[in-house]
Amino acid sequence: GKNGKPALLPSAVTTFTTLVERFPKGKFVDQALFYLGESQYAQGKKKEAVAAYKQLVDGHKKSTLRCDALYAMGVTLEELSDYPQAGLVYDVYLEECPSSPLITEVRMRKAETILQAGDLASAAKLFAEVSAVEGFAAADHAIYRQAYCAAQQEEFVDAGNLYAKLATNFPKSGYVNTSKISAGRSYYRGGKLADAKKWLQASIKAEGEH
């Protein structure tokens, strides 16, 4: 179903559901639950996917798929805008899966849930920490959200510095053009008019090149 034949996904759901119902204590029930969640998610049935992931997480604490299920559940809850629950799931992930290659991404996602809860300062601190992790593929996104936190706290010069850092250090980022104009606006609001002019001009130039 995931390889170009989405019409097969409902059949996958039926099969995995049957396996879970008939063999609730079977050797492969954790796998059935995980792929049931994946099958539901692939069809856009995110609440149903969360239910399957949760069943695995709650009932199979020693499963080799537990970290995968925690990650999938957290991301899906985020996509459903249930940030409080997503944050709780990420807390468990961070505690139980410290060696995961996804740990920095999960820390960034945790920062987003903190931001959504209104704690701008704590979110900014965590975004800063993850953006500094060497080789982190989404460092530009972390800096962008850190800059947003600074702007929302009316720390306009700091926000300008962060937007400028992103535009300078990540020239291929999808946030570059937005960061240039945001840097200009932030510097303007922070009273650094020369820097504001520089980045607003850079933004105008970038627009003219597209």
Side-chain angles (χ1 to χ4, degrees):
K2 293 180 71 175
N3 292 328
K5 296 183 179 180
L8 296 177
L9 289 169
S11 296
V13 169
T14 300
T15 301
F16 290 129
T17 301
T18 299
L19 181 59
V20 172
E21 291 175 348
R22 290 187 180 180
F23 307 100
K25 295 185 179 181
K27 182 178 179 180
F28 301 108
V29 69
D30 62 329
Q31 296 181 45
L33 286 168
F34 181 75
Y35 291 109
L36 172 59
E38 295 287 273
S39 300
Q40 297 282 30
Y41 181 88
Q43 295 179 85
K45 298 180 178 181
K46 295 182 180 180
K47 290 183 179 179
E48 292 86 347
V50 167
Y53 298 136
K54 187 175 188 303
Q55 192 174 345
L56 190 164
V57 168
D58 290 348
H60 303 271
K61 298 187 182 300
K62 294 184 179 181
S63 170
T64 57
L65 289 168
R66 180 171 169 82
C67 287
D68 292 326
L70 284 165
Y71 174 83
M73 182 162 64
V75 171
T76 308
L77 286 165
E78 256 196 281
E79 293 176 357
L80 289 168
S81 298
D82 191 346
Y83 294 102
Q85 286 301 315
L88 293 175
V89 172
Y90 292 144
D91 286 339
V92 177
Y93 187 99
L94 293 170
E95 180 180 348
E96 296 187 8
C97 314
S99 61
S100 166
L102 296 174
I103 198 72
T104 303
E105 179 192 336
V106 172
R107 292 181 70 210
M108 183 178 72
R109 289 182 176 278
K110 174 62 180 181
E112 187 65 34
T113 67
I114 295 170
L115 170 58
Q116 295 296 330
D119 189 347
L120 294 162
S122 295
K125 182 175 182 295
L126 190 47
F127 281 128
E129 290 174 3
V130 299
S131 72
V133 174
E134 185 175 355
F136 180 43
D140 59 332
H141 178 77
I143 294 171
Y144 190 76
R145 297 304 278 163
Q146 182 189 357
Y148 173 83
C149 291
Q152 290 299 303
Q153 295 177 92
E154 299 187 356
E155 297 169 352
F156 297 118
V157 174
D158 288 343
N161 290 339
L162 287 163
Y163 285 125
K165 176 182 177 181
L166 193 162
T168 301
N169 293 352
F170 299 89
K172 296 183 179 180
S173 169
Y175 296 109
V176 165
N177 291 341
T178 303
S179 293
K180 287 178 179 178
I181 192 168
S182 296
R185 289 172 175 169
S186 297
Y187 280 133
Y188 179 81
R189 298 189 70 181
K192 297 193 71 172
L193 300 184
D195 288 321
K197 180 180 179 181
K198 170 187 172 182
W199 284 102
L200 289 172
Q201 287 177 336
S203 174
I204 293 169
K205 181 180 178 182
E207 287 294 322
E209 292 173 350
H210 286 78

